[in-house]
Amino acid sequence: MAQPESKKIFFENLSGAGKAIAVLTSGGDAQGMNAAVRAVVRMGLYVGAKVYFIHEGYQGMVDGGENIVEASWESVSSMLQVGGTVIGSARCKEFRSHEGRLKAAHNLVQQGITNLCVIGGDGSLTGANLFREEWSGLLTELVEQGLIEADAVQKYSALHIVGMVGSIDNDFCGTDMTIGTDSALHRIIEVVDAIMTTAQSHQRTFVLEVMGRHCGYLALVSALACGADWVLIPEMPPEDGWEDKMCEKLSATRSRGTRLNIIIVAEGAIDRHGKPITSGIVKDNRAGMKRLNIIIVAEGAIDRSNRPITTDYIKDLVVKCLGFDTRVTILGHVQRGGTPSAFDRILASRMGVEAVLALLETTANTPACVVSLCGNQSVRLPLMECVQMTQEVQRAMDGKRFEEAVRLRGRSFENNLRTYKLLAHRKPESELPVSNFNVAVLNVGAPAAGMNAAVRSAVRVGISEGHKMFAVNDGFEGFYKGQIKEIKWADVGGWTGQGGTLLGTKRTLPGKHVDKIAEQMRMHNINALLIIGGFEAFESLLQLYEARATHEDFCIPMCMLPATISNNVPGTDLSIGADTALNAIVETCDRIKQSASGTKRRVFIIETMGGYCGYLASVGGLAAGADAAYIYEEPFDIRDLQANVEHLTEKMKTSIQRGLVLRNENCNDNYTTDFIYQLYSEEGRGVFDSRKNVLGHMQQGGAPSPFDRNFGTKITAKAMQWVSKKLVETYRQGRVFANTEDSCCLLGMRRRALVFQPVVQLKDETDFVHRIPKEQWWLKLRPLMKILAKYKTSYDVSDSGQLMHVVRNRPKDSDASVAM
């Protein structure tokens, strides 16, 4: 809920006048680093500080000269969509020495820089902290050598450090996601999806090696996102004899007639004995006719004896023991390349702004901090606490304490591993519990990418829990018409990468058909209901809850999962499908802006979907670098439109060549997209011309993003486990009877955790007329977009400023990361 105005704190009270901030990228590059650099520069300039680029990382700091240059607002234009880091990154051995750090200190003092924003991995951030600790001693040495004046020691007495983690491996403890990880997952999944399409014509096994020499996050999450049959990661080496089990699994899946198997291996994988694997004895099993196997290997995968598991070893193993035609694909540095995803742009922008705020608030006694993501919230953590825990992970792996290593990786990693094991490995029928419960799953409302991944997760987790799963086609319309059938484990194979909804979905609400729906529930003996959908699904669940008064058939556990591109469901910060829509918007905006390259100055007016919810326009605008975004939640009038035009006109008179304005489809009945386009065209005449584009249903189409695949998979697995628990709790005298509020819930992401909330309690939080929640967290991001577009505005920093600590052991109930 929003805080009372008196409790809000605004950063205008934190002046950066007289301060100098330098930003550098160090170590390996990662997509999204440029978005972070852009945010640091523009936020720093916005608060009145001087901001400097340090080119080539620590090497540039040591070399000085032209490597340290003052940044301007325009110098970070058109870099948001660029991959890598435009200010360069380099490994620097010299900075590891005392003499190198002395040179670096001299170069910084010459420019008056005492605030550093470091974007890199744990090595880069550890070096920054050491530099900070030595700072006063380094200045004393410089005075003694006559390189600086004595009063400089007092004037530049403290060096302040704030870090942001840029690493595609997501190997830094203390944050759910690092800058670049989501984009790397996009590259991996693009390759896997491409392999899947060509694989329909061949009976082949594919072995994919992905990056992550010391961390298996990319391998694990990509395996979860594409439904891989086997994954090998450094944190959890396979037990001895894994070769037998893997080949048996591949053979069994082929025998069931499915056309695809995937095995993912981390590069540099070793077994539990710490020796390279060069041979293995597995049984010869050529049964089955599966068309394709894909094996994905993380670069650091090992077995239980610490022996590397290589892609060539996997290939030779499959060829020798199963006789399958096998191919190896090593993705390599393609995972670091390409344009950053919407998630990485937003994450990096939020972190960059938070980093500047942290530097403004820091004192001589404030420890160096790192800006992290916890759930859906930016937090500040002590840098060295995070570094030490990251080092503990490696020590645990070196000591073969693999379970401890997984725990230290954090809740996101644990949750991914647990969910993968639950979905990828089917237990024999004899080992499955027998529950005698029937659970139905259906989609309601408009289609959203990720729905199929959610259904797959529901079916497989339900079967693992011993339930009989039923699929309902075409939502509640299909329900009352009897379009209900049992769905098996193999029926949902390959669903994770499919866009839209394979079950079909309709906007029909159950209210007028409760009698027929109740009859169908009796006929199929449905004991629990899982609804996946948007605002219509929320309304449907409310209607079913109210129907309990007249129909005991609805006195069963019922759970809803939010899935809509509009992200307008109450009770959750994020919905399945919204990330895919954002990526579609951002990719299109990039192309539209690029179309004006080399032409005269031009402003693009783009209309997005979302109903009355401005999420897509606002967050898409932040990710695409928009100059304005018009939404229903923030009323505007002709004076605001005129001010925006004038603002853009001033920018266009400088070096800015392109402008971008987003408009939510229902933001205003009178100020339509055509009206705004005509206004900008008329008022900008002589300075810029305008173009308009209505994105339409392309925002609903396409393959789901890695985020939506994994978010849908994990949130559904948690929901099904809740359903199982409620079924046991409410089973009395041979039947299920659940009529309490807490047996009819919505599972949503709230700040840092997934929370089950009774739908009846969410009614007061909902604007049913406009189909949006009354309070929406993302409205706090709108000032960021305006600040980065050079508008003067107020920014609430009530959630910022508090330095937290790394949590080593979280209760299981809070183990619900929004990050992938």
Side-chain angles (χ1 to χ4, degrees), residues 210-489:
V210 301
M211 284 184 163
R213 186 172 299 279
H214 302 295
C215 179
Y217 188 87
L218 288 179
L220 177 58
V221 175
S222 58
L224 196 56
C226 67
D229 294 274
W230 206 268
V231 64
L232 296 159
I233 59 174
E235 292 86 351
M236 190 55 63
E239 301 284 355
D240 291 343
W242 62 271
E243 297 95 333
D244 284 318
K245 294 179 181 178
M246 185 186 74
C247 290
E248 288 172 5
K249 171 99 185 280
L250 297 180
S251 181
T253 51
R254 283 210 179 189
S255 67
R256 288 195 291 269
T258 50
R259 300 175 67 87
L260 175 67
N261 288 100
I262 303 170
I263 299 177
I264 303 182
V265 187
E267 62 175 325
I270 58 176
D271 66 16
R272 294 214 169 201
H273 302 289
K275 300 177 182 178
I277 298 176
T278 56
S279 63
I281 302 175
V282 297
K283 75 177 183 180
D284 189 1
N285 187 344
R286 297 172 184 257
M289 292 298 294
K290 187 165 184 180
R291 305 289 292 179
L292 172 71
N293 302 93
I294 300 180
I295 303 170
I296 304 183
V297 188
E299 64 175 338
I302 58 175
D303 70 9
R304 293 275 169 171
S305 303
N306 291 333
R307 292 185 300 189
I309 302 173
T310 65
T311 48
D312 286 336
Y313 172 71
I314 299 287
K315 173 185 174 181
D316 295 342
L317 178 70
V318 174
V319 171
K320 175 183 176 182
C321 301
L322 298 176
F324 295 165
D325 186 8
T326 305
R327 298 289 188 271
V328 172
T329 298
I330 300 176
L331 271 64
H333 281 74
V334 70
Q335 296 159 89
R336 291 191 184 277
T339 186
S341 66
F343 184 100
D344 273 329
R345 298 186 197 192
I346 297 162
L347 175 66
S349 297
R350 292 176 69 183
M351 285 186 168
V353 169
E354 185 70 22
V356 173
L357 293 176
L359 287 172
L360 294 180
E361 296 169 0
T362 192
T363 66
N365 298 322
T366 305
C369 74
V370 60
V371 180
S372 301
L373 181 72
C374 182
N376 193 32
Q377 187 176 14
S378 294
V379 298
R380 303 176 195 172
L381 299 173
L383 171 59
M384 292 315 295
E385 282 188 20
C386 298
V387 169
Q388 287 162 8
M389 183 175 284
T390 303
Q391 294 170 346
E392 283 183 32
V393 175
Q394 191 59 52
R395 286 194 291 269
M397 291 169 61
D398 293 341
K400 300 183 182 180
R401 303 188 305 276
F402 300 111
E403 288 75 12
E404 181 184 349
V406 169
R407 179 180 57 80
L408 290 170
R409 280 285 183 217
R411 62 179 183 172
S412 177
F413 193 96
E414 279 187 287
N415 203 14
N416 281 309
L417 183 57
R418 182 167 54 248
T419 306
Y420 174 77
K421 289 180 178 179
L422 196 61
L423 297 176
H425 301 291
R426 182 181 182 182
K427 295 179 181 177
E429 295 288 341
S430 58
E431 295 182 17
L432 290 175
V434 180
S435 71
N436 295 320
F437 293 126
N438 295 342
V439 181
V441 57
L442 70 160
N443 298 321
V444 178
M451 278 183 165
N452 293 322
V455 172
R456 170 184 176 270
S457 179
V459 170
R460 293 197 168 180
V461 174
I463 291 173
S464 297
E465 298 278 326
H467 309 318
K468 185 179 288 187
M469 299 299 298
F470 288 83
V472 182
N473 293 106
D474 296 335
F476 282 107
E477 184 173 316
F479 209 134
Y480 79 79
K481 291 179 179 179
Q483 296 173 206
I484 306 169
K485 63 179 181 180
E486 186 178 357
I487 187 167
K488 302 283 190 178
W489 183 283

Side-chain angles (χ1 to χ4, degrees), residues 78-91:
S78 302
M79 67 188 295
L80 189 61
Q81 70 272 20
V82 179
T85 165
V86 298
I87 61 174
S89 181
R91 312 283 182 184

Side-chain angles (χ1 to χ4, degrees), residues 174-247:
T175 184
D176 289 340
M177 285 287 278
T178 57
I179 297 168
T181 302
D182 184 68
S183 300
L185 287 169
H186 274 257
R187 301 296 92 78
I188 295 170
I189 295 304
E190 286 166 6
V191 171
V192 173
D193 286 350
I195 285 175
M196 285 182 175
T197 58
T198 186
Q200 304 307 316
S201 303
H202 302 278
Q203 297 185 53
R204 283 178 179 162
T205 295
F206 277 82
V207 183
L208 268 68
E209 179 182 296
V210 301
M211 284 184 163
R213 186 172 299 279
H214 302 295
C215 179
Y217 188 87
L218 288 179
L220 177 58
V221 175
S222 58
L224 196 56
C226 67
D229 294 274
W230 206 268
V231 64
L232 296 159
I233 59 174
E235 292 86 351
M236 190 55 63
E239 301 284 355
D240 291 343
W242 62 271
E243 297 95 333
D244 284 318
K245 294 179 181 178
M246 185 186 74
C247 290

Side-chain angles (χ1 to χ4, degrees), residues 644-719:
N644 293 152
V645 173
E646 292 172 356
H647 183 81
L648 261 175
T649 302
E650 288 301 313
K651 289 174 67 175
M652 289 289 181
K653 290 178 180 178
T654 62
S655 60
I656 304 298
Q657 297 293 319
R658 288 159 290 180
L660 182 66
V661 175
L662 270 61
R663 178 189 178 273
N664 167 244
E665 59 183 348
N666 288 343
C667 66
N668 190 288
D669 291 337
N670 298 311
Y671 300 134
T672 63
T673 301
D674 284 336
F675 178 90
I676 294 174
Y677 159 68
Q678 292 167 4
L679 176 69
Y680 273 74
S681 297
E682 179 64 28
E683 297 298 319
R685 184 172 297 177
V687 180
F688 62 82
D689 65 1
S690 301
R691 295 289 187 273
K692 66 177 178 178
N693 195 299
V694 179
L695 300 185
H697 283 78
M698 63 162 291
Q699 298 159 84
Q700 279 187 315
S705 67
F707 183 96
D708 279 330
R709 299 184 195 198
N710 285 278
F711 186 49
T713 296
K714 291 196 293 185
I715 194 174
T716 308
K718 189 174 183 69

Side-chain angles (χ1 to χ4, degrees), residues 572-634:
T572 187
D573 290 352
L574 296 172
S575 299
I576 300 165
D579 183 74
T580 304
L582 279 177
N583 278 286
I585 292 169
V586 169
E587 289 168 10
T588 305
C589 288
D590 286 350
R591 293 183 182 184
I592 288 173
K593 288 195 295 183
Q594 189 180 48
S595 71
S597 179
T599 66
K600 61 182 180 179
R601 296 180 174 91
R602 181 166 289 168
V603 174
F604 297 94
I605 316 297
I606 298 177
E607 180 180 299
T608 66
M609 295 177 78
Y612 286 96
C613 180
Y615 176 81
L616 291 179
S618 295
V619 181
L622 177 61
D627 295 279
Y630 301 117
I631 63 172
Y632 166 78
E633 292 91 342
E634 193 172 284

